[in-house]
Amino acid sequence: MSSSSQLDLELLLDRLLSASTPSDCIDSLEQLQKQCSGRKPSKDDNLDENSEEERQSQVIDAILGNVQVLHALCSLIAQSVLPSQHEDGGDGSSATSSGIEVEGGDVAACELMLEILPSSSGLPSGSSGSKSNQAGATTAALQKQRQLKRRMEFISKTLLHFHENIDVNKARNADAGSSSKQSSLSLIPSLLDCLCGASQTTTPSTYARVLSLQILQSLLSASPGTLREQLMKAPDGINRLVDLLGHDASAPTSSGSVLSESAVPEEVRNQAILFLTSLASSSSILARLITFSEGYD
């Protein structure tokens, strides 16, 4: 990436964090999404495919390396609120109290997150692929598959663990109460808040909830062990996912609340079935937990 392109990206990230209006926030998210999207070089373009992949990786790495941006994305996913930049500067206080409410911010943040997560289409089916496929593949193709798999795992683990760096820094300079409040703005709890609603007064859009489940599916494919660990740590993590299956509307849900049938659209329920099936297949322990939470009733 050229120095001018790097400067443009840094300015774009800063524009997102310092956005003063919802439209500025949405436009910055859309521009970042375009930056993360790989484009196929045309015949008249001097840029080859490898250079484009390198440029795309550098953009994604810049986002992953900016903790404030990741923190802002989690807040947008969970509450459609862009935190105030000055409140993420070192005292660990919650930024959502005076942030900007961004209509559609959850959808835009989820779409950007899916662009950051690499596609697994280049990987063979299964964790290691069939012997016949491997025998027919070239050495270069196998190397590229391994590189893509390592890349997917690196990105996923960075997204799943970035908040731990915040907690360590805040614990050194701030009181424990502020640190615990900051740690709630991590990716998995934010996705769960988007899926199930952070409060009784907020109702996430159907599209944002479907995108959140697609993000979870991508994380499961890239780094299953880390995702399972984060779901187990999240308060009522498995129960909240099972609640998306939409049981009897008059019965209390497994997480203790009452979820109306209309609160779980069919699109969300179908996507939740696919994800929970994959999650149960990846771990016998989680399969039992899902069963005990009435996930297969």
Side-chain angles (χ1 to χ4, degrees):
M1 182 184 298
S2 64
S3 58
S4 60
S5 299
Q6 180 67 30
L7 179 60
D8 290 342
L9 178 59
E10 292 176 357
L11 290 174
L12 186 56
L13 294 174
D14 183 68
R15 180 190 175 197
L16 169 63
L17 294 174
S18 59
S20 58
T21 63
S23 60
D24 283 344
C25 177
I26 292 295
D27 185 65
S28 298
L29 290 170
E30 291 176 348
Q31 291 297 322
L32 285 171
Q33 185 179 345
K34 291 179 181 178
Q35 290 281 338
C36 292
S37 301
R39 62 182 181 87
K40 295 182 178 180
S42 63
K43 294 180 179 179
D44 299 330
D45 200 340
N46 294 325
L47 187 67
D48 59 27
E49 184 176 353
N50 291 334
S51 298
E52 174 60 18
E53 289 180 356
E54 182 179 358
R55 182 206 63 81
Q56 185 181 4
S57 296
Q58 290 174 345
V59 171
I60 292 174
D61 287 341
I63 296 175
L64 294 176
N66 194 318
V67 176
Q68 286 183 317
V69 170
L70 296 179
H71 178 269
L73 290 177
C74 287
S75 179
L76 286 165
I77 290 173
Q79 305 169 356
S80 290
V81 171
L82 178 69
S84 298
Q85 186 177 10
H86 71 276
E87 293 196 4
D88 192 36
D91 62 357
S93 59
S94 174
T96 58
S97 59
S98 60
I100 302 173
E101 293 187 7
V102 181
E103 184 178 357
D106 50 357
V107 171
C110 284
E111 288 178 336
L112 175 57
M113 194 67 70
L114 284 172
E115 287 293 343
I116 293 173
L117 286 164
S119 172
S120 60
S121 58
L123 290 175
S125 58
S127 59
S128 60
S130 65
K131 292 183 178 179
S132 59
N133 288 338
Q134 289 188 4
T138 64
T139 302
L142 290 175
Q143 288 179 345
K144 188 170 184 179
Q145 289 170 357
R146 286 194 291 267
Q147 290 174 354
L148 176 58
K149 187 173 183 179
R150 287 195 296 266
R151 177 70 175 167
M152 290 171 59
E153 186 175 9
F154 165 75
I155 293 176
S156 299
K157 287 186 175 181
T158 301
L159 292 173
L160 290 169
H161 287 299
F162 85 91
H163 63 282
E164 296 175 359
N165 295 328
I166 295 178
D167 294 339
V168 170
N169 293 333
K170 302 306 179 184
R172 293 173 181 170
N173 303 308
D175 60 286
S178 296
S179 176
S180 62
K181 199 163 190 177
Q182 179 74 60
S183 64
S184 65
L185 284 172
S186 54
L187 182 56
I188 295 305
S190 297
L191 290 171
L192 292 173
D193 284 347
C194 181
L195 284 168
C196 306
S199 66
Q200 297 292 335
T201 59
T202 59
T203 304
S205 68
T206 298
Y207 186 42
R209 297 167 80 181
V210 171
L211 290 176
S212 295
L213 285 164
Q214 291 177 355
I215 293 172
L216 287 172
Q217 186 70 58
S218 296
L219 292 169
L220 179 63
S221 299
S223 186
T226 306
L227 176 66
R228 291 194 297 263
E229 178 185 359
Q230 294 290 323
L231 284 173
M232 293 290 288
K233 288 181 178 179
D236 288 325
I238 300 300
N239 289 338
R240 295 176 78 183
L241 288 171
V242 172
D243 289 344
L244 296 174
L245 300 184
H247 298 298
D248 185 358
S250 62
T253 63
S254 55
S255 59
S257 60
V258 176
L259 189 65
S260 65
E261 191 71 24
S262 60
V264 185
E266 183 179 358
E267 299 91 341
V268 176
R269 186 177 186 275
N270 291 340
Q271 194 71 40
I273 291 173
L274 293 175
F275 173 68
L276 285 171
T277 301
S278 299
L279 185 64
S281 300
S282 72
S283 169
S284 59
I285 296 177
L286 285 181
R288 288 194 292 269
L289 287 176
I290 293 172
T291 302
F292 292 151
S293 298
E294 301 179 350
Y296 291 122
D297 282 3

